[in-house]
Amino acid sequence: MDNLKKWDFIKVIDFNRKELKEEEMSQFMEADGIIVNTFSDSGYRHDVVFFNMNLQKKAMDNGGILWRDEDLEKLEGV
């Protein structure tokens, strides 16, 4: 896996099903966005802005959602 960093274009490929409610998070599956900030070296660290404005609003309504490396896939050639 490439090391994800700020300004990488990404696609959501998973979420932590043990900690997060599937009915709320499943709508983010396959969503495209861009990493706008990265906070630490482990855990939930990537702040993503989604290109789908409805999903972005839902993320903002929840106070923002931070993502783990394993939940995101870097989009190449973008």
Side-chain angles (χ1 to χ4, degrees), residues 11 31 34 46 48 56 59-60 66 71 78:
K11 175 173 65 174
I34 187 170
H46 300 294
V48 172
Q56 181 59 31
M60 291 168 53
L66 295 179
D71 298 330
V78 181

Side-chain angles (χ1 to χ4, degrees), residues 34-47:
I34 187 170
I35 297 173
V36 295
N37 210 348
T38 297
F39 295 103
S40 67
D41 291 333
S42 63
Y44 298 93
R45 61 193 217 111
H46 300 294
D47 187 6

Side-chain angles (χ1 to χ4, degrees), residues 7-32:
W7 308 128
D8 282 346
F9 292 99
I10 58 86
K11 175 173 65 174
V12 175
I13 57 171
D14 205 359
F15 59 91
N16 189 337
R17 295 168 195 279
K18 292 180 183 175
E19 293 183 14
L20 303 171
K21 296 178 184 173
E22 186 158 356
E23 61 272 8
E24 293 176 13
M25 296 303 295
S26 62
Q27 60 195 327
F28 290 93
M29 292 297 294
E30 302 295 316
D32 294 333

Side-chain angles (χ1 to χ4, degrees), residues 48-59:
V48 172
V49 170
F50 293 98
F51 301 137
N52 177 310
M53 290 299 106
N54 290 327
L55 286 180
Q56 181 59 31
K57 183 177 179 340
K58 288 179 184 183

Side-chain angles (χ1 to χ4, degrees), residues 2 9 73-78:
D2 286 330
F9 292 99
E73 176 180 80
K74 184 176 179 178
L75 297 176
E76 299 294 337
V78 181

